[in-house]
């Protein structure tokens, strides 16, 4: 971590944790240089000149619809309401007493695990219709609760069942061949099911938990006995065809796909506007085309206060554009808010930096494949995660990384950019991912006093995975007990991993075993990006950096290490925070100013001695590592509010009172132009 707003490492004093008001604790030389302090800082602060009622937080430039940001959740998860796993686990295991042979016991165990999986999967699937109903009835707290429950239900089921199995089936730990028997029975039981791969992944998760075993990607081929891909695809996508100009009738059919049970504000008007938008997109990809085909996923995508319909527009020459219809349901009624037809814009709506979608379609492979066709710049594994199949996404991502390595023969080496003091980042040159581990101890240059330990840092990464990342923080996939081929590592990296992360990394024959491994999508670290970017791209990145900081804040996430090195730029120019060891709830931060100063003890401001994180917004700019004076000016002008106490305190008040700012996920310009738009 680095100090927010800090100069280059070494250029300023490191704040000490827990500094108190004391003559011994004061700094010499007048002005303290601390922008954000993990411990205390101190010097007098005059009553702030901040306005009592600051303007509401500005909406981010790169976003535009309506998804409320959830509040900062506690680190520990509560039980999932109504989960029957424990009940089922006990009931199933009762039959073990009757089963005498190892084969019979293995079968009972396989059936028990499958019953728990079925319970989990039933509940998981029930959540999408519930999310749809919550959207229709505007039950927003329910929507947020469902989204949180959906994220945790898989791991909670496993966490409950694994110790039960351990206690009830002692031979699990003793007899090495017993698990193979369980697996063989289980495979027989799930054969032919559509969700067999998910069921199998569930078994391996249980196995990993029971054995505290190393983790290995589940390579499970499509099981036979369920509809083949073509048949399923026909069921997954609805198809429409029309002559140009596109008639409103086509739009009517598209809007009927999820059969919304809510009152429309002006359905006929929406049908007309949607048809026009489709026609414009078709003409855009093939000027003068006479006909158009539209394929729509036969489901609704629900997230926070929004619902989305997803499809593709194809012209006679075979050119195509994605189609995303964004709907809102405010008290004035259900309506189409925006229509998007650009892949990069869709990519942002489907970003895993936002909450997952609840999707009313069970065919997750076909949906993930369709999403990949529409947004090919994102790895396919990430598409599974964006529709809530995080575990399959996790497997797909690991398979992709292993596949990338086999295909390119590249080796894992230290990631491009600054070496972290807390983490070691590594990747392959053409990989789409970065992996990292947390060091046993921070390296020189660590600025935050006592190191809280590897687990506490991982907790922060887990926390960010579990919240709505407000379109501004990368998701983290955390693997436990994963092993990778030793030959994939550059020797210097391997030496560093073993030396600096010995409690996490070890060698096991030809494998490197990790107790934890964080994987994120690879970005270009901001300072590296700015070194080579065109002036236009650099300007956009600097503007997006400000938006990113604002969206972090709207999610109640404050990165006290406000240093440009912790932010990265993706292929479509968006900026995200990727380093989480210095994140804190914004509501716990003390926002202070240097400009208004009370007479304090020997000219030292009171905040210098305050406990906790003290943040001086006016001093944040130097730390962002925007070296070009023109770009710095641009940031200062476009994001002047970020440099004020009023902005941050206003946001803190909004968060504290539950008035959580909305995060928008598509550009304002894509909203449908209506005569009543101002009123909406
Ligand atoms: N998602 C990512 N995309 C690209 N590079 C990354 C990513 N995550 C990490 N890196 C690289 O790995 C390095 C270390 O990662 P990270 O910033 O998380 O470490 P850290 O020790 O927490 O940093 P700090 O010392 O600022 O606390 C980064 O400086 C960057 O070069």
């Amino acid at each position: 971590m680095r100090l927010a707003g800090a100069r280059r490492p070494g250029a300023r004093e490191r704040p000490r944790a827990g500094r108190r008001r004391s003559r011994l604790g004061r700094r010499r030389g007048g002005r303290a240089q601390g922008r954000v302090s993990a411990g205390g800082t101190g010097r007098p602060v005059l009553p702030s000149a901040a306005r009592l009622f600051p303007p509401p937080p500005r909406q981010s430039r790169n976003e535009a619809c309506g998804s409320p940001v959830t509040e900062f959740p506690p680190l520990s998860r509560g039980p999932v309401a109504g989960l029957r796993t424990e009940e089922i686990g006990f009931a199933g295991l009762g039959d073990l007493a009757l089963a005498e042979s190892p084969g019979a016991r293995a079968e009972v165990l396989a059936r028990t695990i499958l019953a728990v999986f079925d319970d989990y999967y039933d509940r998981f699937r029930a959540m999408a219709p519930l999310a749809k109903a919550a959207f229709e009835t505007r039950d927003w707290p329910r929507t947020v609760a469902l989204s949180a429950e959906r994220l945790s239900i898989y791991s909670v089921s496993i966490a409950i069942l694994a110790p039960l199995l351990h206690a009830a089936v002692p031979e699990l730990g003793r007899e090495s061949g017993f698990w193979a028997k369980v697996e063989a029975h289980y495979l027989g039981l799930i054969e032919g099911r559509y969700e067999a791969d998910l069921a199998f992944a569930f078994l391996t998760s249980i196995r990993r938990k029971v054995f505290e075993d190393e983790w290995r990607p589940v390579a499970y081929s499509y099981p036979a006995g369920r509809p083949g891909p073509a048949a399923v695809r026909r069921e997954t996508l609805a198809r429409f065809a029309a002559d140009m100009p596109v008639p409103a009738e086509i739009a009517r059919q598209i809007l009927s796909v999820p059969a919304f049970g809510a009152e429309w504000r002006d359905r006929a008007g929406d049908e007309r506007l949607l048809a026009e938008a489709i026609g414009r997109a078709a003409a855009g990809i093939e000027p003068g085309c006479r006909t158009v085909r539209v394929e729509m996923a036969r489901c609704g995508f629900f997230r926070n206060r929004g619902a989305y319909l997803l499809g593709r527009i194809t012209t006679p020459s075979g050119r195509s554009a994605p189609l995303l219809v964004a709907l809102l349901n405010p008290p004035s009624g259900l309506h189409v808010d925006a229509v998007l037809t650009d892949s990069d814009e869709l990519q942002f709506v489907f970003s895993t930096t936002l909450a997952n979608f609840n999707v009313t379609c069970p065919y997750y492979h076909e949906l993930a494949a369709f999403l990949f066709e529409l947004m090919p710049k994102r790895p396919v594994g990430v598409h599974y995660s964006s529709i809530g199949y995080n575990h399959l996404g996790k497997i797909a991502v690991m398979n992709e990384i292993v596949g990338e390595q086999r295909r390119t023969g590249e080796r894992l080496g230290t990631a491009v950019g600054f070496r972290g003091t807390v983490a070691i980042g590594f990747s392959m040159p053409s990989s789409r991912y970065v992996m990292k581990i947390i060091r046993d101890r921070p390296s020189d240059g660590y600025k935050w006093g006592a190191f809280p330990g590897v687990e506490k840092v991982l907790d922060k990464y887990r926390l960010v995975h579990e919240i709505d990342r407000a379109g501004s923080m990368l998701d983290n996939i955390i693997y436990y007990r994963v092993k990778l081929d030793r030959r994939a590592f550059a020797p210097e990296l391997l030496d560093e991993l073993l030396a600096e992360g010995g409690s996490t990394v070890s060698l096991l024959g030809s494998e490197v075993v990790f107790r934890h491994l964080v994987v994120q999508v690879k970005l270009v670290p901001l300072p590296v990006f700015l070194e080579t970017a065109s002036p236009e791209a650099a300007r956009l990145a600097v503007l997006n950096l400000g938006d990113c900081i604002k969206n972090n804040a709207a999610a109640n996430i404050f990165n006290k290490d406000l240093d440009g090195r912790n932010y990265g730029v993706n292929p479509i120019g968006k900026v995200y925070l990727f380093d989480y060891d210095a994140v804190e709830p914004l509501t716990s931060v003390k926002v202070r100013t240097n400009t208004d100063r009370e007479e304090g003890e020997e000219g030292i401001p009171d905040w210098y001695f305050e406990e906790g994180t003290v943040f001086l917004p006016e001093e944040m700019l130097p730390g962002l590592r925007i070296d070009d004076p023109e770009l710095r000016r641009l940031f200062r002008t476009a994001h002047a509010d970020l440099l004020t106490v009023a902005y941050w305190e206003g946001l803190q008040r909004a968060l504290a009172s539950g008035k959580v700012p909305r995060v928008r996920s598509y550009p304002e310009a894509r909203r449908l132009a209506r005569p009543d738009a101002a009123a909406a």
Side-chain angles (χ1 to χ4, degrees):
M1 293 176 284
R2 302 161 204 103
L3 277 172
R7 295 171 195 153
R8 300 295 184 265
R12 60 182 302 280
E13 187 182 347
R14 182 199 311 176
R16 274 178 263 146
R19 190 174 292 183
R20 297 196 171 268
R21 176 187 283 276
S22 114
R23 286 180 157 263
L24 290 174
R26 77 185 181 234
R27 293 182 183 191
R28 296 193 180 277
R31 226 169 141 263
Q33 295 178 7
R35 278 81 173 167
V36 174
S37 152
T41 44
R43 230 155 342 118
V45 182
L46 285 174
S48 169
R51 278 186 288 153
L52 281 178
F53 302 102
R58 212 166 59 82
Q59 295 295 359
S60 133
R61 162 179 305 97
N62 55 10
E63 304 183 302
C65 155
S67 28
V69 178
T70 54
E71 285 183 54
F72 206 91
L75 276 176
S76 63
R77 286 188 291 238
V80 175
L83 196 74
R84 291 183 303 133
T85 302
E86 206 160 341
E87 227 172 88
I88 293 170
F90 276 127
L93 293 173
D95 292 344
L96 273 177
L98 306 173
E100 284 176 4
S101 72
R105 287 172 69 76
E107 188 179 352
V108 171
L109 199 54
R111 286 189 190 284
T112 303
I113 295 172
L114 188 59
V116 176
F117 168 76
D118 285 340
D119 175 52
Y120 147 73
Y121 196 51
D122 284 353
R123 282 165 197 284
F124 178 84
R125 284 193 51 194
M127 285 179 184
L130 292 175
K132 177 171 181 274
F135 171 77
E136 289 162 350
T137 56
R138 298 185 200 101
D139 187 350
W140 311 130
R142 177 95 177 117
T143 307
V144 172
L146 278 169
S147 152
E149 187 168 329
R150 193 155 166 265
L151 259 181
S152 61
I153 186 169
Y154 184 93
S155 47
V156 169
S157 299
I158 284 163
I160 292 174
L161 185 62
L164 294 180
L165 295 185
H166 234 326
V169 196
E171 62 263 51
L172 262 184
R174 282 199 311 262
E175 295 165 27
S176 57
F178 186 68
W179 189 265
K181 290 193 182 79
V182 175
E183 196 171 296
H185 282 293
Y186 192 86
L187 280 171
L189 294 171
I190 62 176
E191 196 184 330
R193 286 191 181 199
Y194 180 84
E195 70 281 5
D197 55 347
L198 194 57
F200 190 72
F202 190 83
L203 180 77
T204 55
S205 293
I206 295 271
R207 180 183 173 200
R208 201 166 63 249
K209 191 86 183 163
V210 167
F211 289 109
E212 299 287 298
D213 207 352
E214 77 271 16
W215 191 90
R216 184 181 263 291
V218 179
Y220 195 77
S221 55
Y222 247 13
R226 63 172 189 81
V232 169
R233 201 175 168 84
R234 270 199 296 283
E235 256 186 79
T236 308
L237 301 179
R239 292 184 171 77
F240 311 97
D243 292 333
M244 293 282 271
V246 178
E249 171 58 19
I250 292 293
R252 193 187 65 73
Q253 291 177 31
I254 290 172
L255 294 179
S256 300
V257 163
F260 286 117
E263 282 291 312
W264 286 80
R265 196 165 70 186
D266 171 19
R267 179 158 180 162
D270 283 1
E271 289 168 359
R272 188 174 43 76
L273 291 170
L274 175 56
E276 285 169 13
I278 294 171
R280 267 196 309 277
I285 51 176
E286 189 180 330
C289 67
R290 313 270 295 265
T291 59
V292 64
R293 279 182 292 126
V294 181
E295 290 164 291
M296 297 299 298
R298 276 189 213 270
C299 57
F301 293 70
F302 297 89
R303 180 177 63 201
N304 294 331
R305 295 177 197 230
Y308 299 81
L309 307 181
L310 177 74
R312 172 168 46 207
I313 300 165
T314 308
T315 58
S317 66
R319 285 183 215 153
S320 66
L323 173 65
L324 189 73
V325 184
L327 298 115
L328 293 177
N329 188 22
S332 57
L334 178 63
H335 64 273
V336 176
D337 188 57
V339 177
L340 280 71
T341 56
D342 174 82
S343 179
D344 285 354
E345 289 180 358
L346 251 74
Q347 186 172 320
F348 195 69
V349 177
F350 279 83
S351 168
T352 50
T353 63
L354 294 163
N356 293 333
F357 282 102
N358 256 304
V359 184
T360 53
C361 166
Y363 302 128
Y364 49 86
H365 291 300
E366 284 68 22
L367 271 186
F370 190 50
L371 285 164
F372 185 56
E373 285 169 23
L374 300 177
M375 291 164 269
K377 286 186 193 165
R378 298 179 70 206
V380 70
V382 175
H383 288 298
Y384 280 97
S385 303
S386 69
I387 52 171
Y389 288 80
N390 284 293
H391 201 75
L392 288 184
K394 192 169 178 176
I395 293 164
V397 165
M398 185 50 78
N399 282 338
E400 270 179 87
I401 292 173
V402 171
E404 281 173 344
Q405 210 278 322
R406 287 206 187 111
R407 205 171 47 252
T408 62
E410 290 174 351
R411 284 191 165 177
L412 290 158
T414 308
V416 173
F418 287 89
R419 293 196 163 210
T421 57
V422 172
I424 301 174
F426 51 101
S427 182
M428 293 172 286
S430 54
S431 174
R432 304 175 88 169
Y433 299 97
V434 164
M435 303 186 220
K436 44 188 160 180
I437 61 146
I438 309 304
R439 298 171 186 269
D440 295 347
R441 279 169 299 282
S443 60
D444 286 350
Y446 181 67
K447 294 163 290 183
W448 307 104
F451 181 56
V454 173
E455 270 308 306
K456 285 277 185 300
V457 174
L458 282 175
D459 275 349
K460 299 209 175 190
Y461 276 82
R462 281 190 277 262
L463 168 76
V464 171
H465 171 65
E466 289 174 9
I467 61 168
D468 183 334
R469 288 168 292 282
S472 59
M473 291 166 255
L474 283 192
D475 194 7
N476 308 302
I477 304 178
I478 308 180
Y479 296 92
Y480 300 95
R481 287 170 290 277
V482 61
K483 61 185 184 183
L484 293 170
D485 191 330
R486 183 178 178 161
R487 287 168 301 181
F489 291 80
E492 323 76 72
L493 170 65
L494 192 52
D495 290 347
E496 187 185 2
L497 292 172
L498 291 166
E500 305 289 321
S503 69
T504 296
V505 188
S506 65
L507 290 177
L508 190 71
S510 61
E511 314 276 3
V512 185
V513 181
F514 292 84
R515 292 183 71 80
H516 73 259
L517 183 67
V518 179
V519 174
Q520 294 176 334
V521 167
K522 182 151 72 183
L523 305 175
V524 182
L526 185 68
V528 178
F529 181 85
L530 292 179
E531 274 170 24
T532 54
S534 68
E536 196 191 335
R539 273 196 297 276
L540 184 65
V542 163
L543 292 174
N544 282 342
L545 171 66
D547 288 337
C548 171
I549 295 170
K550 286 175 178 170
N551 287 339
N552 290 173
N556 201 11
I557 291 282
F558 178 73
N559 172 33
K560 69 185 179 192
D561 196 5
L562 272 166
D563 183 317
R565 299 188 302 201
N566 296 324
Y567 298 82
V569 186
N570 81 350
I572 59 170
K574 304 289 181 203
V575 175
Y576 302 92
L577 176 65
F578 60 64
D579 179 2
Y580 302 124
D581 54 28
V583 298
E584 309 213 345
L586 173 61
T587 41
S588 72
V589 172
K590 288 157 186 155
V591 184
R592 303 291 182 255
T593 178
N594 245 338
T595 49
D596 299 320
R597 189 175 302 179
E598 277 175 357
E599 273 306 299
E601 198 183 334
E602 296 183 26
I604 298 172
D606 282 345
W607 58 254
Y608 189 85
F609 299 100
E610 285 189 72
E611 290 292 337
T613 298
V614 175
F615 170 48
L616 277 64
E618 76 256 37
E619 295 194 355
M620 74 183 272
L621 193 50
L624 291 175
R625 293 174 193 275
I626 307 170
D627 291 336
D628 181 328
E630 230 176 82
L631 290 176
R632 258 202 318 273
R633 241 189 323 275
L634 175 69
F635 186 93
R636 208 183 292 116
T637 311
H639 294 296
D641 45 358
L642 276 178
L643 309 180
T644 66
V645 169
Y647 173 82
W648 292 95
E649 285 187 343
L651 206 48
Q652 283 181 320
R653 276 198 297 273
L655 288 162
S657 66
K659 285 185 216 143
V660 183
R662 289 181 177 195
V663 173
R664 296 185 179 269
S665 66
Y666 47 79
E668 190 70 26
R670 300 298 162 262
R671 298 184 72 189
L672 294 185
R674 292 189 176 83
D676 64 344

